[in-house]
Amino acid sequence: MSLVKPAMRGLLAKRLRFHLPIAFGLSLVAAAGFKYTVTEPRKQAYADFYKRYDSMKEFSAMREAGVFESVRPTGK
């Protein structure tokens, strides 16, 4: 009883033909999943924040807190 020789010729091409489409498909699924579970909610959160954001109110609060050296608080 002799052992059968392994098929080495064309092995890389054969395995790539099988694994490359799977890897490509999984990468597309991962990219789409990341886009819709991470980036879209993040963009929506930023949009919601800046809809209600009042920059003059924030500036006045920081001015009163003494954050700026060039602008004095209104009480002084």
Side-chain angles (χ1 to χ4, degrees):
M1 183 177 196
S2 64
L3 293 175
V4 178
K5 288 187 176 182
M8 299 300 283
R9 185 173 302 246
L11 184 63
L12 177 63
K14 181 181 167 187
R15 290 185 59 85
L16 281 178
R17 242 186 329 270
F18 178 75
H19 287 102
L20 202 58
I22 293 172
F24 188 72
L26 286 176
S27 67
L28 286 177
V29 168
F34 186 80
K35 177 179 172 41
Y36 291 111
T37 60
V38 176
T39 59
E40 291 299 323
R42 185 178 292 172
K43 286 192 325 191
Q44 187 61 42
Y46 275 105
D48 293 341
F49 175 78
Y50 282 110
K51 270 187 219 169
R52 295 175 309 221
Y53 183 69
D54 184 13
S55 61
M56 289 308 295
K57 181 180 171 187
E58 289 293 321
F59 172 74
S60 298
M62 287 190 283
R63 181 180 61 200
E64 296 304 320
V67 173
F68 304 115
E69 293 179 8
S70 61
V71 181
R72 292 192 175 173
T74 56
K76 291 184 179 180

